[in-house]
Amino acid sequence: MKTSKVTLPIFPLPVFLLPHGITRLRIFEPRYLKMVSIAAKGYGFAILLNTKDKAHAETHWASWVDIVNFDQGDDGMLIIDVKCKALVEIESMTTEADNLRFGVVHQVEHWSQNESDDIVKKLSSSLLKVFNENNELSSLYQDKFFGNAHWVVARWLELLPADVSAKCIFANDHSYEQAKEFVQTIIFQEK
């Protein structure tokens, strides 16, 4: 399903973020301070998964995020918390003189199937334990959905220390079962 197109500032980062995921970013470059100013007045911005692997340096999709919190670090640097509201496909990109990129994007569906089973219940229990043991992570999420299979599997994918370029296949709408199996293999193997 294609939605209407929108133009967003693009922030290339080695950050894998799925819908409802939250992350904290430190902003210091002038072009990205400009991006935050534009994003705060409009539709947010897109985090484009960018890796050091030259063969898979950038993807054609991005995480469309809204800024949910502003703060200032002890060093005076801007700290923002962003929440992914959807995945988007990038149709085209332009670069301004200050090297800030803008992309014409449209929203894409992600994980339409959503069934919970015993595996998801175990993954949910493990994830709850991680959140309870990590105050910084837990404080990012005002709302937690440990009963929602998508939310649980997506948060695990974001947290696992797997290579971000390997995680790209899980941005596909029909990748939920693969993602669940991937997370299950890693989490239960470590126990």
Side-chain angles (χ1 to χ4, degrees), residues 23-51:
T23 194
R24 180 163 287 156
L25 303 173
R26 295 170 57 80
I27 308 295
F28 53 91
E29 287 187 49
R31 63 182 161 165
Y32 296 124
L33 290 169
K34 174 183 166 184
M35 174 194 74
V36 168
S37 176
I38 292 167
K41 296 174 189 169
Y43 296 108
F45 63 93
I47 297 176
L48 174 64
L49 182 61
N50 184 335
T51 68

Side-chain angles (χ1 to χ4, degrees), residues 2 11 28 31 51 74 102 118 131-133 156 183:
K2 281 196 174 189
F11 195 2
F28 53 91
R31 63 182 161 165
T51 68
D74 295 336
F102 286 84
D118 288 340
F131 270 71
N132 286 339
E133 292 173 354
W156 266 125
V183 171

Side-chain angles (χ1 to χ4, degrees), residues 6-188:
V6 64
T7 301
L8 299 174
I10 303 290
F11 195 2
L13 287 173
V15 172
F16 181 80
L17 198 62
L18 293 175
H20 307 289
I22 302 173
T23 194
R24 180 163 287 156
L25 303 173
R26 295 170 57 80
I27 308 295
F28 53 91
E29 287 187 49
R31 63 182 161 165
Y32 296 124
L33 290 169
K34 174 183 166 184
M35 174 194 74
V36 168
S37 176
I38 292 167
K41 296 174 189 169
Y43 296 108
F45 63 93
I47 297 176
L48 174 64
L49 182 61
N50 184 335
T51 68
K52 303 222 183 295
D53 177 7
K54 298 295 182 204
H56 198 347
E58 289 183 353
T59 61
H60 64 281
W61 63 273
S63 304
W64 186 0
V65 299
D66 283 327
I67 300 168
V68 294
N69 191 32
F70 287 90
D71 204 356
Q72 188 172 16
D74 295 336
D75 56 1
M77 212 171 288
L78 177 64
I79 298 171
I80 60 172
D81 296 340
V82 296
K83 181 176 182 178
C84 180
K85 61 182 172 182
L87 297 184
V88 292
E89 185 174 305
I90 300 172
E91 294 185 13
S92 63
M93 258 196 297
T94 57
T95 305
E96 293 195 340
D98 61 0
N99 285 326
L100 179 60
R101 296 183 194 179
F102 286 84
V104 176
V105 304
H106 65 268
Q107 185 176 334
V108 293
E109 291 295 317
H110 187 250
W111 292 357
S112 51
Q113 64 281 26
N114 186 22
E115 55 283 333
S116 191
D117 56 21
D118 288 340
I119 293 168
V120 173
K121 289 176 186 168
K122 290 177 185 175
L123 291 174
S124 180
S125 295
S126 297
L127 185 62
L128 176 60
K129 184 176 179 189
V130 169
F131 270 71
N132 286 339
E133 292 173 354
N134 187 323
N135 291 334
E136 187 175 337
L137 174 65
S138 189
S139 69
L140 282 176
Y141 288 86
Q142 290 184 359
D143 299 315
K144 300 170 186 82
F145 302 98
F146 293 104
N148 180 296
H150 282 181
W151 193 87
V152 170
V153 173
R155 299 305 69 82
W156 266 125
L157 282 172
E158 294 162 356
L159 292 171
L160 289 173
D163 182 62
V164 290
S165 59
K167 295 179 182 184
C168 285
I169 61 170
F170 304 122
N172 181 304
D173 181 34
H174 302 291
S175 65
Y176 170 74
E177 286 299 325
Q178 276 182 291
K180 183 175 77 170
E181 186 176 319
F182 177 79
V183 171
Q184 169 193 346
T185 301
I186 293 173
I187 298 303
F188 298 147

